[in-house]
Protein backbone atom coordinates (compact mmCIF):
# COMPACT_ATOMS: atom_id res chain seq x y z
CA UNK A 1 0.00 0.00 0.00
CA UNK A 2 1.14 3.57 -0.78
CA UNK A 3 2.69 5.34 2.20
CA UNK A 4 0.26 8.30 2.04
CA UNK A 5 -2.77 6.02 1.88
CA UNK A 6 -1.49 4.00 4.84
CA UNK A 7 -0.89 7.16 6.89
CA UNK A 8 -4.38 8.39 6.10
CA UNK A 9 -6.06 5.15 7.14
CA UNK A 10 -4.04 4.92 10.36
CA UNK A 11 -4.89 8.53 11.31
CA UNK A 12 -8.57 7.80 10.75
CA UNK A 13 -8.62 4.45 12.55
CA UNK A 14 -6.62 5.85 15.50
CA UNK A 15 -9.25 8.58 15.85
CA UNK A 16 -12.05 5.99 15.71
CA UNK A 17 -10.35 3.78 18.31
CA UNK A 18 -9.73 6.75 20.62
CA UNK A 19 -13.37 7.83 20.36
CA UNK A 20 -14.74 4.31 20.91
CA UNK A 21 -12.53 3.74 23.97
CA UNK A 22 -13.41 7.09 25.53
CA UNK A 23 -14.50 6.40 29.11
CA UNK A 24 -14.03 2.61 28.81
CA UNK A 25 -11.86 1.16 31.59
CA UNK A 26 -12.02 -2.55 30.69
CA UNK A 27 -8.81 -3.88 29.16
CA UNK A 28 -10.29 -6.89 27.34
CA UNK A 29 -13.07 -4.84 25.74
CA UNK A 30 -10.50 -2.25 24.70
CA UNK A 31 -8.19 -4.86 23.17
CA UNK A 32 -11.14 -6.38 21.30
CA UNK A 33 -12.06 -2.93 19.93
CA UNK A 34 -8.51 -2.26 18.74
CA UNK A 35 -8.23 -5.70 17.08
CA UNK A 36 -11.58 -5.28 15.34
CA UNK A 37 -11.13 -1.72 14.07
CA UNK A 38 -7.58 -2.31 12.84
CA UNK A 39 -8.44 -5.61 11.17
CA UNK A 40 -11.34 -4.18 9.23
CA UNK A 41 -9.62 -0.92 8.26
CA UNK A 42 -6.34 -2.15 6.77
CA UNK A 43 -6.91 -4.63 3.96
CA UNK A 44 -3.43 -6.21 4.17
CA UNK A 45 -4.09 -7.32 7.79
CA UNK A 46 -4.75 -11.06 7.69
CA UNK A 47 -4.55 -11.80 11.42
CA UNK A 48 -4.80 -9.07 14.07
CA UNK A 49 -4.74 -9.56 17.78
CA UNK A 50 -3.17 -9.76 21.17
CA UNK A 51 -1.22 -12.32 23.10
CA UNK A 52 -1.44 -11.47 26.81
CA UNK A 53 1.25 -12.16 29.40
CA UNK A 54 -0.55 -14.55 31.76
CA UNK A 55 2.40 -16.03 33.66
CA UNK A 56 6.14 -15.34 33.70
CA UNK A 57 7.41 -16.05 30.19
CA UNK A 58 4.01 -17.14 28.87
CA UNK A 59 1.66 -15.56 26.33
CA UNK A 60 -2.00 -16.51 25.88
CA UNK A 61 -4.08 -15.61 22.83
CA UNK A 62 -6.86 -13.04 22.66
CA UNK A 63 -8.72 -10.96 21.81
CA UNK A 64 -8.13 -11.39 18.05
CA UNK A 65 -9.62 -11.28 14.56
CA UNK A 66 -8.70 -13.72 11.81
CA UNK A 67 -8.13 -17.42 11.42
CA UNK A 68 -7.38 -19.77 14.31
CA UNK A 69 -4.21 -18.84 16.17
CA UNK A 70 -1.98 -20.92 18.47
CA UNK A 71 -3.30 -20.60 22.01
CA UNK A 72 -0.13 -20.36 24.08
CA UNK A 73 3.33 -19.11 23.11
CA UNK A 74 6.27 -19.08 25.47
CA UNK A 75 8.70 -16.15 25.40
CA UNK A 76 11.39 -18.41 23.91
CA UNK A 77 9.32 -19.19 20.79
CA UNK A 78 8.36 -17.40 17.62
CA UNK A 79 8.23 -13.75 16.67
CA UNK A 80 5.78 -12.96 19.48
CA UNK A 81 8.18 -14.48 22.00
CA UNK A 82 11.11 -12.54 20.54
CA UNK A 83 9.21 -9.24 20.81
CA UNK A 84 8.13 -10.06 24.38
CA UNK A 85 11.75 -10.84 25.35
CA UNK A 86 13.26 -7.78 23.71
CA UNK A 87 10.34 -5.45 24.65
CA UNK A 88 10.75 -3.94 21.18
CA UNK A 89 8.70 -4.00 17.99
CA UNK A 90 9.82 -6.63 15.51
CA UNK A 91 9.06 -6.42 11.77
CA UNK A 92 9.58 -9.62 9.77
CA UNK A 93 9.27 -9.15 5.96
CA UNK A 94 9.29 -12.91 5.29
CA UNK A 95 8.25 -15.16 8.17
CA UNK A 96 9.78 -18.20 6.47
CA UNK A 97 13.20 -16.64 6.98
CA UNK A 98 12.66 -16.14 10.73
CA UNK A 99 14.15 -19.00 12.72
CA UNK A 100 11.55 -20.42 15.09
CA UNK A 101 8.57 -18.70 13.49
CA UNK A 102 5.35 -20.38 14.61
CA UNK A 103 3.18 -21.03 11.57
CA UNK A 104 -0.38 -20.85 12.93
CA UNK A 105 -1.65 -20.32 9.39
CA UNK A 106 0.36 -21.10 6.26
CA UNK A 107 -1.11 -18.02 4.52
CA UNK A 108 0.85 -15.72 6.81
CA UNK A 109 3.88 -14.25 4.98
CA UNK A 110 4.99 -11.17 6.92
CA UNK A 111 4.42 -9.98 10.43
CA UNK A 112 4.79 -7.13 12.93
CA UNK A 113 4.73 -7.62 16.70
CA UNK A 114 4.43 -4.61 19.02
CA UNK A 115 4.94 -4.81 22.80
CA UNK A 116 2.17 -3.46 25.05
CA UNK A 117 3.05 -1.90 28.41
CA UNK A 118 0.99 -0.76 31.37
CA UNK A 119 1.51 2.53 33.20
CA UNK A 120 4.25 0.97 35.33
CA UNK A 121 6.19 -0.10 32.25
CA UNK A 122 5.46 -3.82 32.72
CA UNK A 123 4.92 -5.83 29.56
CA UNK A 124 1.25 -6.94 29.63
CA UNK A 125 0.81 -8.22 26.05
CA UNK A 126 2.01 -8.06 22.47
CA UNK A 127 -0.03 -6.92 19.48
CA UNK A 128 0.60 -9.35 16.61
CA UNK A 129 -0.39 -8.54 13.02
CA UNK A 130 0.18 -10.96 10.15
CA UNK A 131 -0.22 -10.31 6.44
CA UNK A 132 -0.70 -12.72 3.58
CA UNK A 133 1.64 -10.44 1.56
CA UNK A 134 5.42 -10.39 1.87
CA UNK A 135 7.00 -7.23 3.27
CA UNK A 136 3.67 -5.64 4.22
CA UNK A 137 4.87 -3.75 7.32
CA UNK A 138 7.18 -0.78 7.67
CA UNK A 139 8.01 2.19 9.91
CA UNK A 140 4.54 3.68 9.31
CA UNK A 141 2.84 0.59 10.79
CA UNK A 142 5.35 0.55 13.65
CA UNK A 143 4.81 4.20 14.59
CA UNK A 144 1.00 4.06 14.47
CA UNK A 145 0.60 0.66 16.13
CA UNK A 146 2.99 1.68 18.94
CA UNK A 147 0.84 4.76 19.50
CA UNK A 148 -2.46 2.86 19.35
CA UNK A 149 -1.40 0.33 22.02
CA UNK A 150 -0.68 3.21 24.43
CA UNK A 151 -4.46 3.80 24.47
CA UNK A 152 -4.62 0.65 26.64
CA UNK A 153 -2.64 2.21 29.49
CA UNK A 154 -4.57 2.55 32.72
CA UNK A 155 -7.22 -0.03 31.71
CA UNK A 156 -7.74 -3.23 33.68
CA UNK A 157 -9.98 -6.26 33.45
CA UNK A 158 -11.89 -6.73 36.66
CA UNK A 159 -13.16 -10.15 37.72
CA UNK A 160 -16.95 -10.41 37.48
N1 LIG B 1 3.49 -16.16 13.92
C1 LIG B 1 3.54 -15.96 15.32
C2 LIG B 1 2.58 -16.86 16.04
C3 LIG B 1 1.24 -16.27 16.23
S1 LIG B 1 0.27 -16.37 14.86
O1 LIG B 1 0.86 -15.68 13.79
C4 LIG B 1 -1.24 -15.85 15.16
C5 LIG B 1 4.93 -16.11 15.90
O2 LIG B 1 5.82 -16.74 15.34
O3 LIG B 1 5.10 -15.58 16.99
Amino acid sequence: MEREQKEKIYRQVAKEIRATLEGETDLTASMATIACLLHHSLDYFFWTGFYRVVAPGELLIGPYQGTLGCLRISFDRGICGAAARSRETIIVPDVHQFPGHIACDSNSRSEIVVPVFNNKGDLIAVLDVDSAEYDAFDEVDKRHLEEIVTFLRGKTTLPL
Side-chain angles (χ1 to χ4, degrees):
M1 181 180 287
E2 293 275 319
R3 191 188 172 91
E4 253 324 291
Q5 173 71 354
K6 216 187 230 197
E7 286 279 6
K8 201 173 140 195
I9 297 173
Y10 269 116
R11 280 197 296 272
Q12 178 61 32
V13 74
K15 212 189 282 178
E16 256 178 78
I17 292 169
R18 210 189 269 280
T20 310
L21 297 188
E22 177 85 49
E24 180 52 67
T25 58
D26 185 82
L27 181 62
T28 309
S30 302
M31 286 176 157
T33 300
I34 290 175
C36 176
L37 288 175
L38 285 175
H39 192 77
H40 296 284
S41 302
L42 291 142
D43 61 6
Y44 55 99
F45 281 28
F46 169 76
W47 195 96
T48 313
F50 293 90
Y51 278 92
R52 288 163 295 119
V53 180
V54 290
E58 189 174 4
L59 296 164
L60 180 62
I61 201 166
Y64 73 97
Q65 299 256 327
T67 56
L68 182 68
C70 317
L71 270 62
R72 289 178 190 265
I73 298 178
S74 78
F75 277 28
D76 55 13
R77 293 188 61 223
I79 302 163
C80 290
R85 274 200 316 276
S86 69
R87 298 166 56 93
E88 281 184 11
T89 296
I90 298 184
I91 294 174
V92 179
D94 178 356
V95 295
H96 304 112
Q97 304 304 318
F98 189 94
H101 164 249
I102 306 161
C104 296
D105 189 312
S106 59
N107 288 306
S108 172
R109 296 205 168 94
S110 61
E111 184 161 339
I112 183 169
V113 183
V114 178
V116 183
F117 303 101
N118 64 14
N119 274 334
K120 291 188 285 176
D122 306 318
L123 180 83
I124 57 160
V126 295
L127 171 61
D128 178 12
V129 185
D130 293 15
S131 179
E133 299 162 23
Y134 288 109
D135 203 15
F137 305 104
D138 57 22
E139 290 302 307
V140 176
D141 299 274
K142 178 178 187 290
R143 179 162 39 82
H144 285 283
L145 295 176
E146 286 179 351
E147 194 212 349
I148 287 167
V149 298
T150 66
F151 301 169
L152 294 169
R153 294 203 185 148
K155 301 186 192 295
T156 46
T157 298
L158 297 171
L160 293 176

